[in-house]
Structures are given as C-alpha cells and as structure tokens.
C-alpha cells in the first residue's frame, strides 16, 4: 500500500520521479533517504559526491574507483565492454585474468564469473576467505553481490544496499494505525494525569507562599533551547517541566528534591568506593601488595558535608533557599519556580486527550486481547509440548517457567497480540532464526574491522588501538584492534596460561555505528523483531522514537558488544556482563560466534590455578563451599537441570553462544537482600573482595555463579530464567528485569534500547532509583528522560488519532 501524499517521502529527482516510501515521523524523507543524507553530509571528497548522483547505476559500480590505465592492464570499463560479447558463452564458467570484484586485482589465475548479473567476478582466494559458507558453484549461479551479502569495502558503504536493508513495512491499513494510537493514549493517559497532579501540588505551594490564589500564579518559562537538556544540580535527574532555579547563580532543583527538603529527608549517599591495585600475583592467589599507608578501599563522606545537607531547610516563608557554595549554590534566599513547556501546551494536550479518552472509551480498554494465550491448554495449564516455548526455570507451582520462543516466521504470522500477552506480564521473549530474512551479510570480525579501517583511512586516521576490558581484574587495557580480533578467533592467554578474557563495549561507538558500519547497521535494523516496538526511527509503539527532531535524544544504540568466551565457568575472570538492570527495554541479537580450542596442557594449568583461587577464597572470603566441594555442587546442579528438563539446551550446545540469567521483577527485593548478605563472597575490581554495596544491582559488581544461584534458591526460594542464546537469536528484556550474561564462546552481540508503552511505569520507577545513587556513581545520570518521551509520544498519538477520526 502506497502512503498518502502527506506521509510520503519528499525525495524527488529528474523526470518527475518521487520516492514512494513512507516518511519517518517528523521527517521529510523516508528512512533510507534520512540515513543516506545523514551519512552523505559527513562524507568528504568530490568523488563521493559525484558517485551519489548516479543513482541509476549499480551500488558498486557507481562508487568504485577506476584503476590507472597502462599498457599491460585494461580499465574496468574496457573489460566490461569486452565481456559483453563473451559472457553468454562463458556464463557460469571460470574465467582467467579478470579483475576480482572483492579485491579489485587481476593477478589471480582463477576467477568465478556470475551467470546472474553477468558482470561481477570473484577470485577463488576471496571466496574461500570472505565467503567460506558459499561454494564456488553457488557463486557461479549467483555471486555475493547478487545475493545482497557482498562485503567488499565498496558494497559495505553502498547507499543502494543500505536502502534495501532498512525498508520497513508500515501498518498496512488505517485500522491498524487507529488501534495503535488508541493503545498508546490508553497507556499514557494515566501518566499525564499523575504528571500534571505533581505540578499542581508545587503550584499550590507557590500560591500559599505568596498569599495568592492558584489561578493567579503565572509560572515563568525558562529561556532554554529546544535541544538543551536540563538536570537537577543536586540529584542529576533530568528536568522535564516545573523546577526551581536561583535567579542569581542559576542553580536548578527538581521537584523531587524540593519535596524532600520540605519533609527534611533530602537524600545523601554516605559512602564512596575506591579501588587499589594489589599486584599481578594477587590475581591468582599470590601475596597482595600492601595498601597505601592510611588509605582504605571505602571512604566516608565528610561529616561537614552531611551537616551542610541537614542544614538545608526551608526559609521563613516556606521558600527554598539556594544551597551554600560547598553544595554548589550561592546561598541566595529564594529559588524561583520556572517551567520548560508553556502552560497552554500542556493544558491543551490534557483537554484533547480527555476528549479522545471519552469518545473512544479508552479507560476501560483492555491492555491485551482477552483471548486465551495459545501457550496454555483449555484447562489453564501450560502446554509443555508447544514448540514455541522454552523451559528456562524450575520454580514450584508457577506457570512462568517457560518463555515464549517463536521463530521469525511464527512472529510474522501471529502478530503482536501473542507477544503482548507475555510482554505485559514482564516476561522476556526469545526470537529464533532471526537470519532467515536477512541478506546474509557477514558479521565476521575481520569484515567489520576492514569496514571501520577503510572509513578511518578515508578520514585520515590510522590509530587502531582500542580500550578493552580485561575480565580478570575488570580494568581497561590497550590493544591493537587487529590483535583483539585475532584473539577473538584463536584465543589469548596470560603468561601463566590463564585464558585472557577481553571484551569491547560499544565498538564502534553507538553514536558512530551507522556511520562507520552503515550496511551492518541497516542489516541489524532490518532483522529487528516486532519493529512496531523496536524500530529506532519508525516504531509506532516505540515511545523513544516520538521525540521531535530538534530535541536531543538519548543514546539508545545500536551498540555492539564483542567479547571472548569460555564454555566452563572459570570462577574468576569469566567473560561476563555482570548483574544489572537497564532503565529501558532492550533487544539483544547474537550476530556471530567463534569457538576457541584450548590444548590439554593449558587446560591442566587452568585447573591448577583454579585450586589456587579456591584456597585464596577460603582464606579471604571464608567460604564453606570451595575447591572440590564447589566443583561437585556445580556438576550436581548441571545433572539435575538436565534430568528435570531435557529440552533445556546444555552449555556446550554447538550453536550456543551465551548463557543468560534474567530475574523476575517481583523477585528483585529478595535478590537484593541476598547480595547484601553475601556481598563479601564476590570479587570485582583488581579481584579484590567487594567491601561495600551502594546498590546491589546498579553497582554492576556481581555475577551469580552456579554456586550462588543454588544458595539463592535455598535461602530465598527464587531463581532466574536461565537459557542459552544461540546464534541468530534475539532476546527481548523488559525494563526492570535484572539480568546477567556469560559468554560460552567468542560472541558479537548487537543491542538496542527502546521504550514500550507497557513499561513506562517501570522506567519511571527505575529513574527514581538511579536518582538516589551517589553523585559519582556510574549509573547516576538520568540519560533516558522517559517523562519527556512520554509527553511527546502522547502528543503525537493524539494528533494522529484526531486526523484519523476526522
């Protein structure tokens, strides 16, 4: 279905041509032309600008540089003319001394000609190196270029290839859009009421302080740019609308802090953590280096600071003064009430929303379909024989031990209703076979490295040293990116044969991902499951996609995580993402794995070092279950899991890449209590025991091993959903579900954050938790600004539903 004129891409060309794709929300162009213009503006050089005009040429030929003419070698153009007469005769056969499309060289003796496009040729060496999964016969039938997975440096930056990968199927009819907008308003309307209620309370306080009526209060609008972010100077939470500001020094205070000052309960963290290097020998059970004299690994905030916090109270007229200089202010007697949005905008939004809620009866609208989920039998019991379910837990008397696990084909046939019935309950969802509808573009690390290297060279950069994290001491190390990827495929070891587990987070940086890896970025977006929720630009139910283009947006990805792995649990230095909780929803896709083989001699050395670690743990951490006892418990638990459910994949599955543990939201209080009780049994930076806990989950300092998961279930009766993510599987994690991951192999995972309307309350709750963290905590700052997203998403849904209702 073609879009209406007002929603059609405005990109035009000669001859009256106009793009027929849907335009992106609040943009003039479709997604392809939006991404293309974004990358084109950053390109330099006349050659690129000239090539982009020739849209009618093939994406490789219009950007390929022409080799120098010489007596011995003909140009590509002359070869194409000559091949025009002979391709019919040599179709699909091996030709000799022809330029390879991949490496642009003619020195190779054997080159495979494509019988489909009749132009492209690939040398045997390149086929074996870059397309090992495609046979020479298959290349002769259809070359990688024709298949859409050519990874030569020209095709990796091809605008036409990007276009094909980023095309998004929009709602096929007005009725679908109509239902989506009603659903958005239904879930966002309670948020709007609560948001306006909090602002009215602050307005009443202002009226009482000034001795005026509520209707007489005129809140001054701040002089801020639309793309400017404003944060509370005290708690670092983002300011959405009402706040108080000092007229003298511009100290800003959010409504949460204002309320706490009036109640005498202003939050102030009492401790800060500092880590010290105890030496390389200590990492494997050796004697630690002494701490610097007079220093401890935990440091109390000064009593003077705490006294100043306690003295910050309301004034004589119930006004809140600006804090003293030691707290960042100037001591001015009164903070003024200001706002970011015009009062008329929010009042108009409220009026329109309430009108639509009444017309469409949205208050009583069900969250999801009232039909019974197909995962259950008619008697209400879970259908354990359902192939779309994967057992991930063994909780007693619970029906949520199975996770919804459809294939990409099932996902397309069943639509959103089945997904929503699980998602709204806070359950993760696993999508299998995600590569079925992909182009087959290689995510092999050397392909990615070559694409980024070529881009860096074009920008005049030759620095390929990156900062990776060594999982043994959780510290950054500098490593050449080529050497890092070599270790990804072949493995790396420390001098004592202990596996060196390195990981790269967010490489290339997510802000540059689609610029430096445009084909990979487009491929990832194309395969995203449930695009209505997850698509970063056009997801109609993605709250994060509704911010206007002139407003600075949070960095939600795509983000690449590349890390080594080891099949068995090492106990120390494992390649893990420690226990944490994202502020938003997330989707994580396993794009590539590599299995590293270790020699028998190295495995023996690893076992010796494990015994040294166990002895050190027994001495320092005072553990009961260490050494052989701990290993026996791990073996016993694995045997128990396999006997309870044969359909749970084993850790050494050939296509398995990462072990996930995701906890339910309702189990978070008990999980936090367990970590506080046992935090000294864990090690973190420099392999030192965790001496202090600020927040059990947001510290991201803990990984629960098999041993700790067993104790957690024994003491508190809770356990996570545990499953192995296989190659090509996507995991959707709801906001508020703590989770941890351990790599069983070298893995390349790409993740993207999004905000679903079902989980906005959880996102807001998490914002409050982050707000109470110490000022220098790494998870402190509110980067999501979910309340601002919700207001703009509601405004967008109201406008669109009004148009459809007309």
């Amino acid at each position: 279905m073609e879009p209406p004129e007002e929603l059609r891409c405005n990109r035009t060309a000669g001859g009256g041509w106009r793009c027929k794709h849907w335009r992106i929300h609040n943009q003039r162009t479709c997604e392809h032309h939006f991404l293309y213009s974004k990358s084109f503006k950053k390109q330099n050089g006349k050659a690129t600008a000239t090539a982009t005009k020739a849209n009618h040429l093939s994406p490789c030929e219009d950007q390929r540089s022409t080799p120098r003419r010489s007596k011995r070698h003909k140009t590509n153009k002359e070869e194409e003319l000559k091949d025009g007469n002979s391709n019919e005769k040599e179709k699909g056969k091996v030709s000799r001394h022809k330029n390879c499309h991949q490496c642009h060289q003619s020195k190779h003796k054997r080159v495979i000609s494509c019988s489909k496009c009749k132009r492209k040729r690939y040398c045997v060496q390149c086929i074996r190196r870059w397309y090992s999964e495609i046979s020479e016969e298959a290349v002769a039938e259809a070359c990688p270029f024709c298949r859409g997975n050519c990874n030569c440096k020209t095709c990796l930056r091809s605008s036409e290839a990007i276009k094909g990968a980023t095309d998004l199927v929009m709602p096929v009819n007005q009725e679908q859009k109509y239902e989506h907008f009603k659903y958005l308003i239904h879930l966002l309307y309670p948020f709007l009421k609560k948001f306006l209620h909090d602002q009215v309370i602050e307005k009443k306080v202002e009226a009482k302080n000034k001795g005026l009526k509520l209707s007489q209060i005129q809140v001054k609008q701040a002089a801020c740019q639309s793309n400017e972010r404003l944060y509370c100077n005290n708690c670092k939470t983002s300011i959405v609308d009402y706040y108080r500001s000092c007229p003298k020094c511009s100290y800003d205070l959010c409504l949460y802090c204002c309320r706490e000052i009036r109640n005498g309960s202003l939050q102030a963290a009492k401790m800060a953590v500092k880590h010290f290097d105890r030496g390389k020998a200590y990492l494997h059970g050796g004697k630690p280096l002494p701490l610097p004299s007079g220093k401890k690994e935990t440091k109390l905030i000064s009593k003077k600071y705490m006294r100043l916090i306690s003295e910050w109270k309301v004034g004589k007229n119930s006004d809140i003064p600006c804090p003293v200089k030691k707290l960042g202010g100037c001591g001015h007697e009164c903070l003024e009430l200001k706002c970011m949005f015009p009062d008329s905008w929010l009042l108009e939004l409220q009026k329109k929303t309430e009108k639509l809620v009444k017309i469409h009866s949205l208050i009583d609208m069900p969250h999801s379909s009232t039909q019974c989920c197909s995962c259950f039998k008619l008697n209400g019991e879970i259908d354990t024989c359902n192939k779309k379910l994967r057992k991930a837990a063994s909780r007693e008397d619970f029906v949520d031990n199975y996770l919804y696990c459809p294939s990409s084909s099932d996902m397309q046939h069943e639509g959103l209703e089945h997904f929503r019935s699980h998602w709204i309950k806070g359950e993760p969802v696993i999508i299998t076979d995600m590569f079925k509808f992909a182009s087959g573009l290689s995510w092999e690390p050397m392909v990615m490295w070559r694409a980024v290297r070529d881009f860096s060279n074009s920008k005049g950069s030759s620095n390929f040293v990156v900062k990776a994290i060594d999982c043994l001491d959780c510290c950054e190390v500098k490593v050449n990116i080529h050497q890092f990827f070599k270790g990804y495929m072949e493995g790396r070891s420390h001098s004592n044969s202990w596996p060196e587990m390195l990981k790269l987070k967010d490489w290339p940086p997510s802000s540059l991902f689609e610029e430096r890896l445009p084909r990979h970025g487009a491929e990832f977006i194309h395969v995203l499951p449930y695009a209505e929720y997850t698509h970063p630009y056009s997801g109609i139910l993605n709250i994060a996609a509704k911010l206007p283009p002139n407003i600075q947006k949070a960095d939600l990805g795509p983000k690449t995580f590349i890390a080594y792995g080891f099949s068995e649990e090492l106990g120390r230095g494992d390649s893990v993402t420690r226990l944490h909780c994202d502020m938003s929803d997330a989707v994580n896709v396993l794009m590539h794995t590599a299995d590293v083989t270790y020699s028998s001699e190295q495995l023996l050395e690893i076992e010796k070092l494990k015994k040294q670690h166990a002895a050190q743990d027994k001495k320092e951490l005072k553990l009961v279950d260490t050494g052989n006892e701990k290993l026996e418990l791990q073996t016993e638990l694995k045997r128990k899991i396999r006997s309870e459910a044969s359909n749970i994949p084993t850790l050494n599955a050939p296509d398995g890449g990462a072990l996930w543990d995701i906890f339910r939201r309702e189990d978070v209080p008990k999980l936090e209590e367990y970590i506080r009780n046992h935090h000294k049994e864990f090690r973190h930076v420099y392999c030192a025991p965790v001496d202090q806990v600020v927040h059990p989950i947001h510290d991201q300092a803990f990984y629960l091993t098999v041993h700790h998961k067993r104790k957690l279930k024994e003491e508190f009766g809770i356990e996570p959903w545990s499953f192995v993510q296989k190659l090509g599987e996507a995991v959707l994690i709801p906001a508020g579900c703590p989770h941890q991951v351990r790599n069983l192999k070298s893995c390349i995972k790409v993740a993207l954050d999004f905000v679903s309307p079902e989980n906005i309350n959880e996102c807001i709750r998490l914002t409050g938790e982050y707000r109470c963290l110490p000022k220098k905590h790494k998870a402190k700052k509110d980067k999501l600004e979910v309340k601002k997203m919700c207001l703009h998403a509601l405004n967008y849904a109201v406008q669109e539903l009004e148009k459809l209702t007309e």
Side-chain angles (χ1 to χ4, degrees), residues 685-704:
V685 180
Y686 298 124
C687 266
V690 179
D691 190 47
Q692 178 234 343
V693 179
V694 176
H695 192 284
I697 296 172
H698 301 323
D699 287 356
Q700 298 185 27
F702 305 96
Y703 178 83
L704 275 66

Side-chain angles (χ1 to χ4, degrees), residues 90-370:
E90 300 183 59
K91 185 164 50 177
K93 296 182 179 180
V94 176
S95 57
R96 295 179 180 278
H97 301 286
K98 304 293 185 180
N99 276 12
C100 171
H101 175 75
Q102 181 83 19
C103 61
H104 302 299
Q105 296 182 9
S106 61
K107 63 182 181 180
H108 307 289
K109 293 183 178 181
R110 295 188 63 218
V111 181
I112 307 296
S113 296
C114 176
S115 61
K116 185 175 181 179
C117 66
K118 303 177 184 178
R119 298 194 308 272
K120 302 295 181 291
R121 295 170 292 274
Y122 289 78
C123 69
V124 175
Q125 290 89 329
C126 286
I127 293 172
R128 292 174 179 174
R129 181 179 182 185
W130 301 110
Y131 309 99
S132 57
E133 71 283 358
I134 308 177
S135 66
E136 296 178 17
E137 292 76 13
V139 172
E141 293 178 4
C143 67
F145 174 81
C146 295
R147 295 171 183 267
N149 60 8
C150 180
N151 58 53
C152 74
K153 64 181 182 180
T154 306
C155 289
L156 286 175
R157 311 202 63 80
S158 163
S159 60
E160 288 296 319
I162 295 171
K163 174 185 180 301
T166 54
D167 281 343
L168 173 68
V169 179
M170 298 295 287
V172 294
N173 54 51
Q174 298 295 324
E175 184 180 353
Q176 281 186 332
K177 297 178 68 176
Y178 181 77
E179 293 299 324
H180 286 327
F181 293 138
K182 287 201 307 181
Y183 187 68
L184 276 174
I185 295 173
H186 165 64
L187 291 178
L188 292 175
Y189 177 55
F191 157 77
L192 178 64
K193 291 197 298 183
K194 176 67 167 59
F195 183 82
L196 293 174
H197 174 73
D198 291 343
Q199 298 205 152
V200 169
I201 292 177
E202 192 66 23
K203 207 172 181 178
K204 287 181 178 179
V205 172
E206 184 75 1
K208 182 178 179 181
N209 292 348
K210 293 185 176 181
L212 300 173
K213 295 181 179 179
L214 184 64
S215 59
Q216 294 176 311
I217 297 297
Q218 297 293 326
V219 182
K220 183 179 179 181
Q221 187 174 357
C224 294
Q225 299 293 329
S226 58
N227 63 345
E228 183 178 353
R229 285 183 176 179
L230 202 62
Y231 291 96
C232 175
N233 286 88
N234 180 61
C235 70
K236 306 303 179 185
T237 299
S238 63
I239 293 172
V240 182
D241 193 16
Y242 279 16
Y243 70 104
R244 291 191 175 272
S245 180
C246 178
K248 187 176 179 181
C249 70
S250 299
Y251 184 94
D252 300 323
L253 199 68
C254 70
L255 297 188
Y256 291 107
C257 291
C258 292
R259 191 180 305 133
E260 289 179 352
I261 291 173
R262 294 191 186 103
N263 296 335
S265 59
L266 185 63
Q267 297 287 332
K270 298 182 179 181
M271 301 185 78
V273 181
K274 192 172 183 180
H275 305 284
F276 296 99
D277 188 355
R278 309 303 301 274
K280 295 294 183 183
Y282 179 74
L283 301 177
H284 293 289
K287 186 177 180 181
L289 295 175
L291 289 172
S293 58
K295 293 186 177 181
K296 297 182 179 180
E297 297 210 357
T298 56
K299 181 183 177 181
L300 286 171
I301 292 179
S302 65
K303 294 181 179 180
K304 184 178 179 180
Y305 179 85
M306 297 300 297
R307 179 174 57 81
L308 292 173
I309 287 290
S310 62
E311 291 175 355
W312 191 7
K313 299 180 179 179
V314 294
K316 296 180 180 179
N317 298 326
S318 298
D319 290 325
I320 297 178
C322 185
V324 296
K325 290 184 178 180
K326 292 287 186 181
L327 297 179
C330 66
H332 186 71
E333 59 184 10
C334 181
L335 298 178
E336 297 179 349
L337 183 62
K338 290 186 178 182
C339 64
M340 300 289 288
F341 295 113
D343 273 350
S344 58
W345 184 79
L346 281 174
L347 291 174
E348 186 67 19
L349 177 60
Q350 182 185 22
K351 181 180 177 181
K352 290 180 179 180
T353 305
E354 290 177 346
K355 180 181 177 180
L356 292 173
V357 168
K358 185 176 181 180
I359 291 174
H360 300 286
S361 303
L362 299 183
I363 292 181
D364 300 325
M365 178 181 176
H367 287 314
S368 60
S369 175
T370 55

